[in-house]
Amino acid sequence: MIPDTARRYLIAYDIPEDKRRTRVAKCLQTYGDRVQYSVFVVDAKPAALVRLKVAVGAEINLEEDSVLLCDLGPVSSLEESKFSFIGRDRPVTPNEAIIL
Amino acid sequence: MSDHQATERGDAVTISLVAHHEFCPRRAWLEAAGERTDTRQMAVGVASHAATDDPSTGRRDIKRAVDVAHLGWSYTGRCDTIEVNPDGSLEVVEYKATPVRRRTDVTQPMRTQLALQVAALIDMGERVHAQYVYFTEHKRRVEVELSDIDFERARAAVEATRTCVESDTAPQPLEDDPKCTRCSHASVCLPDERKLASIKRRIVVADPDTQIVHLATPGSRAFVRSGRMIVATHGEEAASIPLERVQGVAVHGNVDLTGGLIRELLWRGLSIVWCTSTGRVVGDAASASGPNGSARALQYASAHSGRLDLAQEFVASKVSNQATFLRRNGNAPEAVARLRSFASQAADAPSVNELLGVEGAAAGLYFGSFGTMLRAPDFEFSTRSRRPAHDPVNAALNYAYALLLGDCIRAVRSCGLDPHAGFLHSSNRNKPALALDLAEEFRAPVADSAVVRALNNGELRSGDFQVNLAAVNLTDKGRKALIAAYERRVSTEFVHPTFDYSCSWRRAIEIQARLVLGVLDGTQDRYIGVRTR
Ligand code: SF4
């Protein structure tokens, strides 16, 4: 069976209509972090990914819009170096306890 | 699996419960008790019913999510899709997403489910012309012919399901059944752990990989906006966390949560624990749809009549873990040996009173040697002082115990038990007695260990404490350092001594809570505490 561990996804979208684009962005915000104008990083367990796909699928126009999901592998095995920025970096929610 | 509302015992059986029962009676029982898991299978089940993209049905009159009921056979349910023909007769379509199945086979549970939907519609006075299963992955619709045998079978399945979910005791888990590896409820059922023996096959990696959010900056405020939890300090946004990543919230001291955030967290089934800035747990909030109401009734009855066996295990494993921790980190071989003998005395103490006596004597001995574990010259430890703490070490211990208690409350709540009815701690002292019981075996390996490491590594320094008259407390900075040290400890993996698989200490706390539940609901003969070696 598919192990129930979180994987990191890079999600990018191409949505010409403003309203739908805003709604997709709002929906992705619940799952992960916006790292570029139309690019998100989402760490999700299989269950959360299914929910995400359904939620995004319900917002877009299947003929016109396109959402790309790129599986970057299990979160636990990701090396820091795989993720870097030139210029300003954008925070990604860490995978450990959050102490504020 | 089309209706996901909680089904209470005594209520009509639902079609989805019957489907669970066809798979495994225990799964139906757990589902009826309100146990929910966040697994891919569950999400796919919910999602398949949201699928509405069958292009071939575009022109007809289609009704979706239709509630049906059969008065005679006494069950309720929901049809995904019903198509209405021009002559008024109906066609029932059940959507199925079956990613594991390569072929579009109609299984027996699917036939039963359709038969129940059709029987209910007929009972409601409708005419059903045909019924289908629509396989969403294959985009294929398969017609299913139903015979009298199918209806008879379905009726019997409703009765079997009713008998199962109305029973007072949980059905035993299946033994070594391959079904369990495909079961959405395995992480709460723990089919292999019931034997209390080493486990050869591993069903699920069930460690949560979402996070506890600790709010520990005085004067900050947390609220919800666009699916994210925002934390603002002095009017400035300090952090924004996607809600799907939050596993629970711990509030430390003077921090405000808005009503909207509390409601959102509870709606998601997450818990909130509040404690003071000196580490006293003030209270917690839990979702109303927590599972296992009937298990709580059993818990109260057992707590009232007493369960010496559970109390013995809590103390025996606590003292045994104190001995191990002291042997590994301190220098007091005699105390270790005497703690070992206290541990075996606790295991067969004749009454709770004597048990408390043994526990007290062991604590005196353990804390008498606690100082031998501290390497940093700044810190000294003479005696354990609860409140107020007389020295930094005691202040740190108090705080770590509050953090541990928070995790125990969360674990006890997540399996539907009540933190307030315990077996060792008295339930009439306004204390979360069961959570305190469960905390005992984790004190040394989790809380004490986090404190000793933080002090010895210099993560906590003397400047991280402040003195107010006779009382010593952590500063804001010190508190955050200790929370970080505790979190690192509780998410460390270790080999569970009973089951021989590795899991995090936080998951172990929940596993132990579920073993207590198993003893109470009759799925298991006895409880074994975690004893580190
Ligand atoms: S894990 Fe196994 S025993 Fe437990 S409910 Fe699922 S199928 Fe039944």
Side-chain angles (χ1 to χ4, degrees), chain A residues 27-38:
Chain A
C27 160
L28 288 172
Q29 287 204 97
T30 312
Y31 292 85
D33 307 292
R34 191 172 209 157
V35 290
Q36 303 275 281
Y37 188 65
S38 54

Side-chain angles (χ1 to χ4, degrees), chain B residues 23-28 30 172-175 177 179-191 201 203:
Chain B
F23 183 83
C24 165
R26 182 165 162 87
R27 185 157 101 175
L30 291 170
Q172 293 293 327
L174 302 175
E175 249 182 62
D177 196 303
K179 268 187 201 169
C180 296
T181 55
R182 286 183 285 123
C183 175
S184 53
H185 286 58
S187 67
V188 298
C189 168
L190 304 183
R201 61 169 186 169
I203 289 188

Side-chain angles (χ1 to χ4, degrees), chain B residues 294-364:
Chain B
S294 58
R296 280 197 291 285
L298 294 169
Q299 180 192 355
Y300 300 135
S302 314
H304 186 67
S305 58
R307 280 294 295 248
L308 185 59
D309 56 334
L310 287 171
Q312 284 166 336
E313 257 315 279
F314 294 139
V315 177
S317 37
K318 170 193 187 174
V319 176
S320 161
N321 290 344
Q322 287 175 328
T324 305
F325 185 60
L326 190 58
R327 172 175 58 77
R328 286 200 197 148
N329 300 282
N331 182 15
E334 271 175 39
V336 171
R338 285 184 58 207
L339 284 170
R340 293 257 176 251
S341 80
F342 278 137
S344 45
Q345 270 180 48
D348 21 63
S351 70
V352 170
N353 262 343
E354 286 180 57
L355 202 48
L356 291 171
V358 176
E359 188 195 17

Side-chain angles (χ1 to χ4, degrees), chain B residues 227-245:
Chain B
R228 297 174 77 90
M229 177 172 160
I230 316 281
V231 184
T233 312
H234 307 303
E236 267 191 46
E237 207 170 297
S240 142
I241 305 146
L243 274 170
E244 282 276 341
R245 298 282 294 283

Side-chain angles (χ1 to χ4, degrees), chain B residues 21-340:
Chain B
H21 190 269
E22 300 256 289
F23 183 83
C24 165
R26 182 165 162 87
R27 185 157 101 175
W29 199 91
L30 291 170
E31 183 70 19
E35 293 275 19
R36 296 286 181 278
T37 56
D38 191 28
T39 55
R40 185 170 188 281
Q41 295 103 296
M42 290 304 273
V44 166
V46 175
S48 68
H49 297 279
T52 49
D53 55 348
D54 179 4
S56 68
T57 61
R59 274 155 288 131
R60 300 202 222 159
D61 189 0
I62 301 174
K63 296 180 194 296
R64 294 197 190 277
V66 181
D67 288 319
V68 296
H70 194 305
L71 294 178
W73 297 2
S74 178
Y75 64 85
T76 60
R78 180 171 281 184
C79 301
D80 290 334
T81 305
I82 296 178
E83 298 171 7
V84 186
N85 291 328
D87 67 355
S89 69
L90 308 178
E91 316 224 337
V92 178
V93 188
E94 172 67 14
Y95 280 64
K96 285 289 174 209
T98 51
V100 280
R101 218 179 293 279
R102 248 175 261 125
R103 288 181 301 148
T104 52
D105 292 335
V106 175
T107 61
Q108 185 54 48
M110 294 181 202
R111 298 186 79 85
T112 304
Q113 212 175 339
L114 274 175
L116 291 175
Q117 293 175 357
V118 171
L121 286 166
I122 293 172
D123 190 55
M124 292 160 81
E126 301 288 347
R127 262 185 312 131
V128 179
H129 183 253
Q131 52 278 327
Y132 311 86
V133 172
Y134 178 73
F135 292 91
T136 56
E137 309 273 299
H138 302 77
K139 300 210 188 307
R140 216 183 130 224
R141 163 192 281 230
V142 177
E143 180 163 5
V144 182
E145 309 247 358
L146 294 173
S147 66
D148 287 351
I149 299 172
D150 287 305
F151 287 108
E152 227 1 86
R153 225 179 162 142
R155 181 181 186 151
V158 171
E159 277 323 300
T161 306
R162 191 187 328 278
T163 311
C164 167
V165 299
E166 285 181 359
S167 148
D168 277 338
T169 46
Q172 293 293 327
L174 302 175
E175 249 182 62
D176 272 333
D177 196 303
K179 268 187 201 169
C180 296
T181 55
R182 286 183 285 123
C183 175
S184 53
H185 286 58
S187 67
V188 298
C189 168
L190 304 183
D192 295 336
E193 283 80 348
R194 295 297 167 208
K195 280 173 263 166
L196 295 174
S198 155
I199 287 173
K200 302 285 177 312
R201 61 169 186 169
R202 198 57 225 282
I203 289 188
V204 265
V205 186
D207 272 320
D209 26 26
T210 43
Q211 292 113 45
I212 302 289
V213 179
H214 292 271
L215 301 175
T217 303
S220 58
R221 185 168 163 275
F223 54 96
V224 62
R225 189 178 67 210
S226 305
R228 297 174 77 90
M229 177 172 160
I230 316 281
V231 184
T233 312
H234 307 303
E236 267 191 46
E237 207 170 297
S240 142
I241 305 146
L243 274 170
E244 282 276 341
R245 298 282 294 283
V246 179
Q247 190 202 334
V249 173
V251 184
H252 304 261
N254 174 27
V255 175
D256 269 350
L257 305 191
T258 62
L261 177 60
I262 296 175
R263 186 180 58 230
E264 178 73 24
L265 293 171
L266 296 181
W267 183 81
R268 288 172 174 265
L270 306 171
S271 62
I272 311 168
V273 175
W274 282 267
C275 63
T276 66
S277 56
T278 57
R280 189 190 286 270
V281 174
V282 179
D284 71 307
S287 168
S289 56
N292 290 322
S294 58
R296 280 197 291 285
L298 294 169
Q299 180 192 355
Y300 300 135
S302 314
H304 186 67
S305 58
R307 280 294 295 248
L308 185 59
D309 56 334
L310 287 171
Q312 284 166 336
E313 257 315 279
F314 294 139
V315 177
S317 37
K318 170 193 187 174
V319 176
S320 161
N321 290 344
Q322 287 175 328
T324 305
F325 185 60
L326 190 58
R327 172 175 58 77
R328 286 200 197 148
N329 300 282
N331 182 15
E334 271 175 39
V336 171
R338 285 184 58 207
L339 284 170
R340 293 257 176 251

